[in-house]
Amino acid sequence: MRYGMAIDTAKCVGCSDCVVACQTENNVPIGYCRDWIVENVNGSYPNVEIELRSERCNHCENSPCVRCCPTGASHIIDGGIVMVTHNECIGCGACIQSCPYDARYSHPDGYVDKCTFCHHRLEKGQNTACVEVCPTRCLHFGDLDDPYSDVSKALKNRTWKVLAPEAGTKPQLFFLT
Amino acid sequence: MKEELFISGRDIPNIDPFLNIWHWEIPVYLYLGGLSAGIMFFAGLFTILDKEKEMETTVKWAPFLVPVALVLGLFALFLDLKHQLFFWRLYTTIRIESPMSWGAWTLMFITPLSMVWAAVYIKELIPGWNWKINIVDQFEEFVKKNMKPLAWAMMGLAIVLGVYTGILLSAFNARPLWNTSILGPLFLVSGLSTGLAAIIWMSKSHFERKVLTKIDIALICVELFLIIHLFMGFLAGSAVSIEAAELFLGGPFTTTFWGGVVILGLIIPAILETLELAGYKVPVWIPSFLVLLGGLLFRFIMVEAGQITRFLY
């Protein structure tokens, strides 16, 4: 079991529905977000390329945030999801420094917070909030070890990339190009 | 043209537009930790070499600064924590892979050790000091008989503490400016040098100052060598490393780093100390003050600049 997500950059329109859905579902404080949209513009008119990416925690297999956490609050659970136990986190900021994707933030209550792949929803057999609301169906989530899962099927016939592979973190977010 | 923007309007405090999660507390702690490591290392070293008489300030008086500096440093660290009530979680586990866990445990041992060291010499500092508790007197007797093993332990832990202040930063692969293994030795040498500067400033013995000044000049040379290597490594590295180095080579930190840290904090004190050894009269506090200031500035610049550097994708 290894959860992963594929994001279809060709289909994403950058509507930010996933951002709002996540903020609502996970009670993210105002001014903060666990997922966000990046617009990447390359070239100049008339040769312009735009890539839209819905980004979040990459739930890295070799996660630097888990490695540097001094208390073990950051840990990996079954399915490869990187989680933070709030009452073990001392708020030292080491994991925020260690993340090449700047996916973590310091919650106003003190602990460090980030995307959980909506673990509480997965437990109930539901999909993540961001995937559920995406109007263009550009987000694909599921078990990478299962060849028939939504994410595996999405990755099968398309080219994809991961972000900052040179950081050596083995991210589990795949961007279909 | 290449442009990247957050169209979801991401503007998370202390993270966007660039990371700034660690403020003054961390460099201040790194500085005080390095300074303490420097003083403790030399106090231990000259005890092992049986030079307590000749190097009185190094072995007896300067170590009184250490518990004060460490407690202040720890307090700064505590202030930096955002979930302060849970700080004790550091001591419910040992995480081998986390430098911060190592550091927390090192401090757990070295802080009481530095207090014991200071307590042993308090009767010499304040004549007529009386513990008034029998068991403390007995403990003091016991420690006095075992100063050598204590000195070895202190020297070892001082090296761990000094290196740790650098490794704390170099373990973060996401911040290319920090992610270089030279940072550990560089922070250690810089800490030893600032420790020496503090001792030299306090010392009244001509002989002691002369010995320590010679060591300090050597350490400053090593530090300059390591700084050159640091930049050689960056410039021979990948795009993110080159970008990190450019902050100091024409970027916003150029003047403060090369002018403040390298010239004012290393080269000028080294020249002044050499002149002093050659027999010229140089007020002793000037090179010491410059080294201490340079060390502080160095840590502030490294922490601030390091947070700006990142992977681009």
Side-chain angles (χ1 to χ4, degrees):
Chain A
M1 185 82 156
R2 189 163 59 100
Y3 284 117
M5 192 179 277
I7 296 104
D8 195 337
T9 59
K11 268 191 183 173
C12 178
V13 291
C15 67
S16 298
D17 256 12
C18 49
V19 181
V20 177
C22 172
Q23 285 166 330
T24 316
E25 173 68 32
N26 296 300
N27 246 325
V28 179
I30 291 169
Y32 294 79
C33 53
R34 290 183 180 185
D35 59 350
W36 58 93
I37 310 271
V38 174
E39 181 187 284
N40 201 310
V41 183
N42 240 323
S44 55
Y45 182 80
N47 299 314
V48 198
E49 266 186 1
I50 292 181
E51 184 181 88
L52 285 157
R53 295 192 303 257
S54 167
E55 293 185 10
R56 56 190 55 53
C57 169
N58 281 263
H59 296 276
C60 306
E61 203 178 308
N62 177 23
S63 30
C65 50
V66 172
R67 209 181 319 132
C68 74
C69 178
T71 65
S74 282
H75 59 287
I76 298 181
I77 59 168
D78 278 351
I81 303 178
V82 178
M83 298 285 277
V84 183
T85 311
H86 295 167
N87 60 11
E88 281 180 21
C89 175
I90 59 171
C92 66
C95 54
I96 298 177
Q97 299 286 7
S98 78
C99 179
Y101 310 102
D102 286 344
R104 289 169 165 253
Y105 61 87
S106 183
H107 192 283
D109 287 348
Y111 52 83
V112 167
D113 201 25
K114 66 182 239 343
C115 163
T116 59
F117 265 166
C118 279
H119 180 246
H120 60 288
R121 289 174 61 90
L122 299 182
E123 276 179 331
K124 287 187 251 167
Q126 295 167 321
N127 221 332
T128 70
C130 50
V131 171
E132 207 82 326
V133 298
C134 181
T136 62
R137 308 246 163 162
C138 76
L139 301 174
H140 305 271
F141 181 77
D143 180 6
L144 292 163
D145 289 338
D146 171 9
Y148 300 106
S149 70
D150 196 16
V151 63
S152 300
K153 280 192 275 185
L155 289 172
K156 206 171 169 187
N157 299 317
R158 294 278 297 273
T159 53
W160 49 263
K161 64 172 183 186
V162 293
L163 298 178
E166 66 275 21
T169 53
K170 296 188 186 159
Q172 304 296 304
L173 246 56
F174 305 89
F175 293 86
L176 305 175
T177 50
Chain B
M1 188 189 81
K2 188 175 161 67
E3 196 184 31
E4 188 168 273
L5 55 142
F6 293 122
I7 63 166
S8 55
R10 198 182 110 145
D11 190 21
I12 302 178
N14 295 324
I15 294 183
D16 298 315
F18 53 80
L19 198 67
N20 189 23
I21 198 89
W22 283 352
H23 307 285
W24 61 269
E25 295 93 342
I26 300 291
V28 164
Y29 157 69
L30 295 179
Y31 177 69
L32 292 172
L35 180 76
S36 307
I39 294 176
M40 282 190 288
F41 177 83
F42 289 105
L45 180 70
F46 287 111
T47 305
I48 291 164
L49 296 175
D50 282 323
K51 293 274 189 281
E52 289 102 325
K53 290 260 159 54
E54 296 90 332
M55 315 292 286
E56 230 182 356
T57 312
T58 319
V59 176
K60 295 179 184 171
W61 315 139
F64 279 98
L65 287 177
V66 175
V68 181
L70 280 180
V71 169
L72 284 177
L74 283 171
F75 185 64
L77 270 191
F78 177 73
L79 285 181
D80 170 71
L81 298 183
K82 309 278 187 310
H83 218 199
Q84 284 158 338
L85 290 179
F86 292 84
F87 82 94
W88 51 272
R89 282 286 187 182
L90 281 169
Y91 298 109
T92 55
T93 176
I94 298 178
R95 304 244 324 113
I96 306 285
E97 287 180 306
S98 162
M100 207 179 264
S101 180
W102 276 84
W105 280 102
T106 307
L107 285 164
M108 183 77 152
F109 288 107
I110 208 164
T111 313
L113 201 64
S114 73
M115 288 173 181
V116 169
W117 189 280
V120 167
Y121 289 112
I122 202 158
K123 278 183 183 158
E124 290 184 48
L125 182 76
I126 308 169
W129 177 275
N130 189 354
W131 288 109
K132 289 185 183 137
I133 303 164
N134 229 341
I135 195 154
V136 180
D137 282 317
Q138 283 166 2
F139 182 65
E140 194 186 334
E141 280 305 306
F142 169 76
V143 174
K144 271 189 175 157
K145 276 187 207 129
N146 294 293
M147 277 315 260
K148 283 272 166 66
L150 191 70
W152 276 108
M154 211 158 84
M155 220 168 80
L157 282 171
I159 293 175
V160 176
L161 181 67
V163 173
Y164 154 69
T165 59
I167 288 185
L168 175 73
L169 301 181
S170 73
F172 297 128
N173 113 339
R175 311 292 146 204
L177 178 69
W178 295 344
N179 190 18
T180 154
S181 47
I182 253 177
L183 227 55
L186 180 56
F187 272 65
L188 172 67
V189 174
S190 167
L192 293 179
S193 171
T194 49
L196 272 184
I199 305 172
I200 294 171
W201 196 344
M202 289 173 76
S203 175
K204 288 189 179 69
S205 141
H206 190 69
F207 170 79
E208 186 176 16
R209 281 215 305 263
K210 208 170 148 187
V211 173
L212 296 179
T213 304
K214 278 182 191 163
I215 304 175
D216 199 31
I217 293 171
L219 283 176
I220 290 176
C221 291
V222 174
E223 205 177 328
L224 286 169
F225 169 80
L226 288 175
I227 287 175
I228 293 166
H229 262 264
L230 180 77
F231 283 95
M232 275 174 67
F234 281 141
L235 293 175
S238 56
V240 286
S241 308
I242 294 168
E243 210 161 80
E246 277 168 356
L247 287 176
F248 295 85
L249 304 168
F253 294 94
T254 314
T255 329
T256 34
F257 183 77
W258 298 103
V261 178
V262 175
I263 296 177
L264 264 181
L266 295 171
I267 294 175
I268 291 183
I271 294 172
L272 288 177
E273 285 179 340
T274 316
L275 286 177
E276 202 186 347
L277 286 180
Y280 291 90
K281 248 202 143 26
V282 180
V284 72
W285 66 272
I286 295 179
S288 292
F289 176 74
L290 288 177
V291 168
L292 287 167
L293 195 70
L296 185 63
L297 194 61
F298 173 59
R299 283 158 181 81
F300 265 94
I301 292 176
M302 284 309 279
V303 170
E304 199 176 325
Q307 295 186 83
I308 295 174
T309 60
R310 53 170 297 182
F311 275 90
L312 286 173
Y313 47 84

